[in-house]
Amino acid sequence: MKIHKQKIELQTTTQIEFIDITKQVEDVVAASGVREGQVLVYSTHTTSSIIVNHNEPMLIQDFMRMLYRLVPVSDRYSHDLFELNRASTSDGRSNGHSHCKAVLLGNSQTIPIEKGQMMKTEKQSIFYVEMDGARKRDAVVQVMGE
Amino acid sequence: MKIHKQKIELQTTTQIEFIDITKQVEDVVAASGVREGQVLVYSTHTTSSIIVNHNEPMLIQDFMRMLYRLVPVSDRYSHDLFELNRASTSDGRSNGHSHCKAVLLGNSQTIPIEKGQMMKTEKQSIFYVEMDGARKRDAVVQVMGE
Amino acid sequence: MKIHKQKIELQTTTQIEFIDITKQVEDVVAASGVREGQVLVYSTHTTSSIIVNHNEPMLIQDFMRMLYRLVPVSDRYSHDLFELNRASTSDGRSNGHSHCKAVLLGNSQTIPIEKGQMMKTEKQSIFYVEMDGARKRDAVVQVMGE
């Protein structure tokens, strides 16, 4: 069995951002030499997610609107009061909403591999979903198989 | 290590549909000869999902109502304008809402295997969730283990 | 390839409860002897979920508020009528909302392993999310790798 992994490093630039990391994941799959198996894409953070969907700019606006509507920034989040009360050690972010959004979308995706290629279709892109940017971020890409 | 996979082909008949594919997945697990390992069920589309939950017809109505309430068809989705503006190549579907629903539910499930059987309990069924039917669809079922 | 698994048994005490099972999962990973690979944490029930996020008590209140807001207990769920009509065999729970919540959060998480440790960061805790307690519950923790 082959196990190969690599970290992808990202610099996000705004609060909510969908970053297409398909090419980076393809490169790790190619470097792994795995012909049959799986790739796991995992966010090591608690205010970001990994999703697979269509990379169409207006659709990404729809995703953002859905996230803001289902988990409004304008609500009161207890976590933000907690952070306020430990201001000396807090990073000063009111990001209760970001954690909630991350729980809804989940923090990893697994994609099967066949003949060295991900078995996703052309319209499926892999996104790193930033929900508390801008920040430096990373994701683990791990390939297992033969 | 054994790696075995198979595509399941489906024909959906309506816009939102929960199709129980438990038996098909069980057949692939049995055919794999894997005694200890995992099975990954993966949707290769961007407007459908895989979930695991209870197959009770009235509960499935509740799932549908939740999906329509959280992501209303009646909202305006930018993606639908995008598709409208490229009408010559578009499939003519206003399916911004379907992509949004798919992002919420995710597009795969992984289930552990013990002694050749999925370690799910009796009330857990595996569903292919169509959110932009009717269409031809397929899912990848991949078993890894020993 | 090594495959090692163990069941975690839990006793929940209230309707919605976030139980931090990070330590139990770490123990299974350690017992597995796997240095490079993955761990799958899987809920065998249909009204509970597994998530990875920050264990901060006020944030957990935010998660609960989000779940109650997105899937209100006060809505009418057809599943509850179904259970009412088969009262002799029903467990008497009106838990349509719990199934809906479980579908939103999903019922497993996969975390990569490196040098015998989960590649999660310090702020990432693994939670068993009870959404129809109090009950006896269990989760499968399965480690695969080398």
Side-chain angles (χ1 to χ4, degrees):
Chain A
M1 184 174 59
K2 283 178 180 157
I3 303 175
H4 176 85
K5 71 175 175 296
Q6 200 173 309
K7 271 200 183 172
I8 292 178
E9 295 185 354
L10 302 165
Q11 175 65 56
T12 63
T13 61
T14 186
Q15 188 182 43
I16 297 212
E17 199 174 341
F18 285 67
I19 303 170
D20 190 326
I21 57 171
T22 309
K23 180 68 175 65
Q24 287 101 310
V25 176
E26 283 171 350
D27 290 346
V28 179
V29 170
S32 74
V34 166
R35 300 288 299 165
E36 302 287 316
Q38 293 176 0
V39 56
L40 168 68
V41 186
Y42 180 85
S43 161
T44 57
H45 304 279
T46 53
T47 52
S48 62
S49 291
I50 311 292
I51 66 159
V52 173
N53 213 282
H54 185 26
N55 188 356
E56 190 278 284
M58 290 179 81
L59 180 60
I60 290 170
Q61 290 178 28
D62 292 328
F63 293 155
M64 289 182 185
R65 262 197 295 272
M66 174 180 71
L67 287 173
Y68 279 119
R69 185 170 49 76
L70 293 181
V71 188
V73 175
S74 60
D75 270 15
R76 280 181 18 171
Y77 294 89
S78 301
H79 179 60
D80 298 346
L81 301 174
F82 171 83
E83 292 289 338
L84 196 67
N85 284 331
R86 53 188 275 278
S88 60
T89 58
S90 169
D91 57 11
R93 289 170 183 263
S94 289
N95 64 3
H97 75 97
S98 317
H99 287 280
C100 287
K101 289 176 173 104
V103 163
L104 276 189
L105 297 200
N107 66 323
S108 75
Q109 293 287 335
T110 300
I111 300 158
I113 294 168
E114 179 185 54
K115 298 178 187 164
Q117 308 279 335
M118 283 187 278
M119 295 183 76
K120 57 179 205 57
T121 44
E122 210 180 314
K123 282 203 175 169
Q124 290 186 311
S125 291
I126 305 164
F127 291 96
Y128 190 96
V129 187
E130 169 64 85
M131 292 179 279
D132 185 35
R135 292 186 188 239
K136 275 194 196 307
R137 295 291 202 178
D138 52 39
V140 175
V141 181
Q142 187 195 47
V143 188
M144 286 177 62
E146 290 194 332
Chain B
M1 183 173 60
K2 282 178 181 157
I3 303 175
H4 176 85
K5 68 174 179 300
Q6 201 173 310
K7 273 201 182 169
I8 292 177
E9 294 185 355
L10 302 164
Q11 174 66 55
T12 63
T13 61
T14 186
Q15 187 181 43
I16 298 212
E17 198 173 342
F18 285 67
I19 302 170
D20 191 326
I21 57 170
T22 309
K23 179 68 175 63
Q24 288 100 311
V25 177
E26 283 171 350
D27 289 348
V28 180
V29 170
S32 73
V34 166
R35 301 287 299 166
E36 303 287 316
Q38 293 175 1
V39 59
L40 169 68
V41 186
Y42 180 85
S43 161
T44 56
H45 306 279
T46 55
T47 52
S48 63
S49 292
I50 311 292
I51 66 159
V52 174
N53 212 283
H54 185 27
N55 189 354
E56 189 279 286
M58 290 178 80
L59 180 60
I60 290 169
Q61 290 179 28
D62 292 327
F63 294 155
M64 289 180 184
R65 262 197 295 271
M66 175 181 70
L67 287 173
Y68 278 120
R69 185 170 48 78
L70 294 181
V71 188
V73 175
S74 59
D75 270 14
R76 279 180 17 169
Y77 295 89
S78 301
H79 179 60
D80 298 346
L81 300 175
F82 171 84
E83 292 288 340
L84 196 66
N85 283 331
R86 52 188 277 280
S88 61
T89 58
S90 168
D91 56 10
R93 289 170 184 262
S94 289
N95 64 3
H97 75 97
S98 316
H99 288 279
C100 288
K101 289 175 174 102
V103 163
L104 277 189
L105 297 200
N107 66 322
S108 75
Q109 293 288 335
T110 300
I111 300 158
I113 293 169
E114 179 185 54
K115 297 179 187 163
Q117 307 279 334
M118 284 188 276
M119 295 182 76
K120 59 178 203 56
T121 43
E122 209 180 315
K123 282 204 174 168
Q124 289 187 312
S125 290
I126 305 164
F127 290 96
Y128 190 94
V129 187
E130 169 65 83
M131 291 179 280
D132 185 35
R135 291 187 188 239
K136 274 196 197 303
R137 296 291 204 177
D138 53 36
V140 175
V141 181
Q142 187 195 47
V143 189
M144 286 176 63
E146 290 192 333
Chain C
M1 185 174 59
K2 283 177 179 158
I3 303 175
H4 177 85
K5 70 174 178 297
Q6 200 173 309
K7 272 201 183 168
I8 292 177
E9 295 186 354
L10 301 165
Q11 174 65 54
T12 63
T13 61
T14 185
Q15 187 182 44
I16 297 213
E17 198 174 343
F18 285 66
I19 302 171
D20 190 327
I21 58 171
T22 310
K23 179 68 174 61
Q24 286 101 310
V25 177
E26 283 171 349
D27 288 348
V28 179
V29 171
S32 73
V34 167
R35 302 287 298 166
E36 303 287 318
Q38 292 176 0
V39 57
L40 168 68
V41 186
Y42 180 86
S43 161
T44 55
H45 306 279
T46 55
T47 53
S48 63
S49 291
I50 311 291
I51 66 159
V52 173
N53 212 283
H54 185 27
N55 188 355
E56 191 278 285
M58 290 178 80
L59 180 61
I60 290 169
Q61 290 178 28
D62 292 327
F63 294 154
M64 288 180 185
R65 262 196 295 270
M66 174 181 71
L67 287 172
Y68 279 120
R69 184 170 48 78
L70 294 180
V71 188
V73 175
S74 59
D75 270 14
R76 280 181 18 171
Y77 295 89
S78 302
H79 179 60
D80 299 345
L81 300 175
F82 172 83
E83 292 288 339
L84 196 67
N85 284 332
R86 52 189 276 278
S88 60
T89 58
S90 168
D91 56 10
R93 290 171 182 260
S94 289
N95 63 3
H97 75 98
S98 317
H99 288 279
C100 287
K101 290 176 173 101
V103 163
L104 277 189
L105 297 201
N107 66 324
S108 75
Q109 294 288 335
T110 300
I111 300 158
I113 294 168
E114 180 185 54
K115 297 178 188 164
Q117 307 279 335
M118 283 186 277
M119 294 183 77
K120 59 178 203 58
T121 44
E122 209 179 314
K123 281 202 175 170
Q124 289 186 312
S125 290
I126 305 163
F127 290 96
Y128 190 95
V129 187
E130 169 65 83
M131 292 180 280
D132 186 35
R135 289 187 189 239
K136 275 194 197 305
R137 295 291 203 178
D138 53 38
V140 175
V141 181
Q142 187 195 48
V143 189
M144 284 177 63
E146 290 193 333

